[in-house]
């Protein structure tokens, strides 16, 4: 999700939202109305991004759930050698990173902060949230709310019957291979991704479903991969419909508590009061790392045995060892990770028992030089982490 919705409308509509929540969830509202033209994240200047990425709940409505009662301890591990530490320090200083944490065997080998951020603060995820939604999908399968990944999405979202999503399976939605035509150009104000949360809300359905009604098919289901944030929003709606719980409420049970999060989780909502599956939860840096550790260890007992082995494997292959799983990016060497615009990431390297969490305020949403610089750092850290 790359554009946000009018705050006043969100405040008015979320007050009458009927999203079920059977775990303690606090409905949050922004402290003050923010002009619509000041809500478009792609146009925020550097100072505005640096300020707001750490307090999105002050600008957008959402749900908040409490930290885990039993917080997972992250003990100190052995520090890296001088060269690796210097490389991490240099990246932190030069890349507009707000924090970097590296875990190996569940122990902290590196943890430092920038931009005035600190261990008690929360930072927004952007599309890192997609991998959380994927994990909740796995939990819904384990809990029996979703019978099969081969089920048609219309079984759980019947309002998609008669749309381009007829005949699309849950797994195809999770791998973004629906064949539905989509434009995710963040520089184009007329693109689908720019308009999907500006669609007028319709009573009884999420904005994602409302927007999906107007889409058309460009390829048979399962034949073509196209990155579509809408499809993660629909996946979140599907999990909510199947479980009868909001994503925030379900995440409290299936991620926050079992992973042992140290701080509360905030998850933004759309104009209908539904959590936005493809974007915008806020947690501590250490909890991004805990999420990575949770996935590294298999996510038991929240998801089926082997879930992350499948979710973090290249269900779609791009070449050179890269691909896409169930809402996780896959990398060479059987590693995988979550990514969000402006430099948010969780990277998981199973054969090194390694988790690298980074939160940032990149000067642009995306860009090859930015990604290449991060990749170079990750490769250096992985190489220094042995086997």
């Amino acid at each position: 999700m790359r554009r946000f919705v009018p705050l006043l409308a969100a405040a008015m509509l979320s007050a009458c939202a009927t999203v079920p929540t059977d775990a303690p969830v606090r409905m949050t509202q922004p402290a003050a109305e923010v002009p619509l033209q000041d809500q478009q994240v792609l146009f925020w200047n550097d100072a505005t991004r640096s300020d707001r990425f750490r307090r999105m709940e002050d600008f957008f409505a959402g749900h908040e759930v409490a930290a885990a009662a039993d917080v997972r301890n992250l003990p100190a591990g052995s520090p890296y050698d001088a060269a690796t530490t210097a490389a991490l320090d240099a990246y932190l200083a030069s890349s507009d990173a707000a924090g970097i944490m590296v875990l190996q065997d569940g122990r902290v080998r590196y943890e430092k902060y920038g931009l005035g951020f600190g261990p008690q603060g929360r930072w927004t995820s952007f599309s890192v949230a997609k991998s959380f939604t994927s994990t909740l999908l796995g939990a819904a399968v384990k809990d029996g709310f979703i019978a099969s990944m081969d089920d048609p999405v219309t079984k759980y979202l019947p309002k998609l019957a008669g749309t381009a999503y007829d005949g699309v399976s849950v797994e195809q939605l999770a791998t973004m291979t629906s064949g539905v035509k989509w434009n995710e150009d963040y520089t184009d104000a007329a693109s689908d991704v720019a308009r999907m949360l500006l669609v007028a809300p319709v009573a009884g359905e999420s904005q994602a479903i409302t927007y999906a009604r107007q889409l058309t098919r460009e390829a048979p289901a399962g034949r073509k991969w196209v990155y579509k944030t809408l499809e993660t929003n629909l996946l979140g709606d599907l999990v909510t419909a199947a479980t009868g719980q909001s994503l925030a409420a379900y995440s409290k049970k299936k991620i926050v508590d079992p992973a042992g999060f140290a701080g509360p989780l905030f998850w933004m909502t759309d104009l209908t009061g539904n959590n936005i599956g493809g974007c915008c939860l806020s947690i501590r840096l250490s909890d991004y790392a805990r999420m990575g550790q949770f996935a590294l260890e298999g996510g038991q007992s929240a998801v089926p045995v082997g879930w992350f082995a499948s979710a973090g494997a290249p269900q779609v292959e791009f070449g050179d060892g890269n691909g896409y799983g169930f809402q996780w990016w896959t990398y060479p060497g059987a590693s995988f990770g979550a990514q969000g615009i402006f430099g948010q990431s969780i990277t998981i390297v199973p054969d090194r028992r390694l988790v690298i969490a980074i939160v940032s305020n990149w000067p642009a949403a995306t860009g090859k030089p930015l990604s290449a610089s991060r990749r170079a750092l990750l490769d250096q850290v992985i190489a220094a982490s042995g086997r």
Side-chain angles (χ1 to χ4, degrees), residues 165 172-173 176-178 180 228-235:
Y165 284 95
Q172 288 161 347
L173 197 66
M176 298 191 183
T177 57
S178 66
V180 173
K228 311 179 191 73
T229 293
L230 177 81
E231 298 203 331
T232 323
N233 293 352
L234 290 173
L235 199 65

Side-chain angles (χ1 to χ4, degrees), residues 220-288:
R223 299 283 184 86
K224 183 177 182 179
W225 181 86
V226 175
Y227 188 78
K228 311 179 191 73
T229 293
L230 177 81
E231 298 203 331
T232 323
N233 293 352
L234 290 173
L235 199 65
D237 293 344
L238 189 151
V239 170
T240 292
T243 64
Q245 302 168 57
S246 72
L247 296 182
Y250 203 41
S251 72
K252 169 65 174 168
K253 300 174 181 177
K254 301 301 177 178
I255 297 176
V256 172
D257 286 345
F261 279 17
L265 175 147
F266 167 80
W267 203 325
M268 196 181 295
T269 52
D270 73 0
L271 287 177
T272 66
N274 286 274
N275 290 127
I276 302 168
C279 181
C280 307
L281 57 83
S282 295
I283 54 176
R284 297 180 184 183
L285 174 65
S286 66
D287 290 335
Y288 285 110

